[in-house]
């Protein structure tokens, strides 16, 4: 594309920015068109007009995929939060009864999606009938802006980022085994005993190895060399293996509390369970936060406090 001098923005330019956001979220011109009720050629022409007005190419186009160029990413990072605020202002001006609407894309940990959020979404969606949600499970957060996400909910310490982070809770890390496993192999009596047991391990996506095990009581920390033949990469499989009697495992109390209470799991070394792991929500600038994001975060805060 020949670089041109950027022109003054008008209503059509603003429409083009909304379409840009739809393309980033959908990942293709075709899917963006389907979401907006437009044909693929109409979407392509609108993007071309926006590129012409800006004087830069926003997308790399191939036969198989599209992706933001470096210039396109910088531009989108700058305008995306403002677009959400504009959408909210337009909604509020048009109808105070339907402020929370549109599509909300959430990036989250598998365990949070499976055990905490998805089973409890019905009241939230019933309250906001004009809102559609897309939950995307990833083992790492990635780039929220580049991938068109509104919110991310993830365990672990925040990494340096322009995103805003909000601590939701700290869940204890507990060690568990099934009654069947304990009947066959007995219970560890001290942290070092765990090294003699078959352990079910969880892969750390940041390192490619499994998460290291340690036991914490007050200020005392005892690392152990947990060994096992089974390593998994998501919470559902970890929990299923433990329930199936495969071995001893460590996981978040957030997922095991009910199972321990009803006897399906036995907590191992409960006096050594003072280690905690934080759960954070990530979003764009609080000043430009959309109504749908703000309302969703309030709902998640209430859910995690219940847990």
């Amino acid at each position: 594309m020949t670089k041109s001098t950027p022109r003054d923005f008008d209503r059509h330019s603003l429409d083009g920015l909304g379409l840009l956001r739809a393309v980033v979220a959908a990942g293709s011109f075709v899917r963006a068109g389907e979401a907006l009720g437009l044909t693929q050629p109409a979407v392509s022409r609108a993007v071309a007009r926006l590129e012409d007005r800006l004087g830069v190419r926003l997308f790399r186009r191939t036969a198989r995929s599209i992706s933001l160029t470096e210039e396109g990413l910088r531009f989108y990072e700058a305008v995306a939060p403002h677009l959400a605020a504009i959408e909210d202002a337009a909604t509020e001006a048009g109808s105070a009864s339907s402020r929370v609407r549109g599509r909300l894309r959430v990036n989250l940990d598998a365990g949070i999606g499976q055990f905490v959020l998805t089973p409890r979404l019905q009241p939230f969606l019933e309250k906001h009938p004009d809102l559609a949600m897309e939950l995307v499970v990833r083992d790492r957060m990635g780039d929220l802006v580049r991938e068109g996400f509104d919110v991310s909910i993830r365990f672990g310490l925040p990494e340096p980022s322009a995103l805003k982070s909000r601590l939701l809770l700290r869940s204890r890390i507990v060690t568990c085994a099934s009654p069947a496993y304990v009947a066959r192999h007995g219970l560890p009596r001290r942290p070092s005993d765990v090294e003699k047991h078959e352990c079910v391990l969880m892969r750390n996506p940041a390192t490619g190895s499994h998460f290291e095990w340690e036991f914490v009581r007050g200020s005392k920390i005892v690392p152990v060399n947990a060994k096992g033949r089974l390593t998994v990469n998501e919470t559902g499989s970890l929990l299923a293996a433990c329930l199936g009697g495969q071995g001893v495992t460590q996981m978040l109390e957030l997922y095991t509390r009910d199972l321990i209470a009803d006897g399906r799991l036995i907590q191992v070394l409960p006096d050594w369970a003072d280690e905690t792991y934080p759960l954070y929500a990530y979003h764009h600038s609080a000043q430009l936060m959309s109504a749908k994001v703000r309302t969703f975060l309030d709902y998640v805060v209430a859910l995690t406090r219940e847990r």
Side-chain angles (χ1 to χ4, degrees):
M1 176 183 292
T2 302
K3 188 170 182 178
S4 60
T5 302
R7 307 170 189 173
D8 293 337
F9 263 47
D10 54 17
R11 181 183 63 80
H12 298 292
S13 302
L14 188 57
D15 291 343
L17 293 177
L19 191 142
L20 169 64
R21 189 181 187 197
V23 172
V24 172
S28 79
F29 289 168
V30 172
R31 289 195 293 271
E34 291 173 349
L36 297 173
L38 300 173
T39 64
Q40 185 272 334
V43 173
S44 183
R45 287 194 297 270
V47 170
R49 285 195 296 268
L50 180 60
E51 290 177 326
D52 183 57
R53 284 186 172 274
L54 293 172
V56 298
R57 184 179 291 278
L58 297 173
F59 291 101
R60 299 185 188 91
R61 302 163 175 82
T62 69
R64 293 178 176 271
S65 65
I66 63 168
S67 61
L68 286 168
T69 63
E70 291 185 11
E71 295 84 358
L73 178 60
R74 285 197 297 269
F75 177 72
Y76 184 72
E77 287 176 335
V79 302
H82 298 277
L83 287 173
I86 291 169
E87 288 174 359
D88 270 4
T91 300
E92 186 169 356
S95 173
S97 65
S98 60
R99 295 177 184 175
V100 179
R101 67 180 184 184
R103 178 172 293 275
L104 183 70
R105 299 190 77 229
V106 183
N107 168 306
L108 70 170
D109 282 329
I112 289 296
Q114 182 175 353
F115 299 108
V116 179
L117 185 57
T118 307
R120 295 169 178 82
L121 271 182
Q122 183 183 3
F124 179 74
L125 292 174
E126 283 185 348
K127 186 176 180 180
H128 305 291
D130 295 324
L131 181 70
M133 291 190 64
E134 181 181 359
L135 304 182
V136 180
V137 171
R138 299 278 179 84
D139 60 0
R140 304 190 71 176
M141 182 164 66
D143 190 322
L144 293 193
V145 173
R146 187 189 296 268
E147 299 181 62
F149 288 104
D150 299 292
V151 182
S152 181
I153 303 173
R154 312 201 67 84
F155 272 105
L157 295 173
E159 299 178 0
S161 169
L163 296 170
K164 303 298 180 182
S165 60
R166 178 176 181 178
L167 179 65
L168 297 175
L169 61 76
R170 291 183 179 275
S171 178
R172 290 197 310 158
I173 297 176
V174 296
T175 308
C176 301
S178 71
Y181 178 87
V182 172
R184 294 195 309 269
H185 302 283
L187 276 173
R189 299 300 176 185
R190 58 183 66 84
S192 59
D193 290 346
V194 172
E195 298 183 352
K196 304 171 187 175
H197 282 259
E198 180 74 16
C199 299
V200 184
L201 308 173
M202 171 74 93
R203 184 178 66 83
N204 183 343
T207 65
S209 183
H210 67 79
F211 282 100
E212 300 296 329
W213 286 31
E214 60 186 23
F215 290 85
V216 179
R217 184 169 65 185
S219 60
K220 189 171 184 179
I221 301 174
V222 179
V224 300
N225 182 23
K227 301 180 291 294
R229 291 172 292 163
L230 179 61
T231 301
V232 300
N233 72 338
E234 55 91 27
T235 304
S237 298
L238 186 69
L239 195 55
C242 189
L243 287 166
Q246 179 67 33
V248 179
T249 196
Q250 284 193 338
M251 68 180 78
L252 296 168
E253 186 183 31
L254 186 67
Y255 308 140
T256 61
R257 183 179 298 149
D258 294 341
L259 297 172
I260 293 172
D262 66 17
R264 283 183 286 170
L265 287 179
I266 296 173
Q267 186 173 354
V268 175
L269 298 168
D271 293 337
W272 288 88
D274 289 343
E275 182 182 5
T276 62
Y277 207 48
L279 178 68
Y280 280 89
Y282 300 87
H283 55 85
H284 305 294
S285 169
Q287 288 74 26
L288 298 171
M289 189 187 299
S290 66
K292 63 186 178 185
V293 171
R294 186 181 301 109
T295 304
F296 174 69
L297 287 177
D298 289 343
Y299 187 73
V300 172
V301 167
L303 274 185
T304 51
R305 285 177 179 169
E306 288 176 7
R307 303 296 290 176

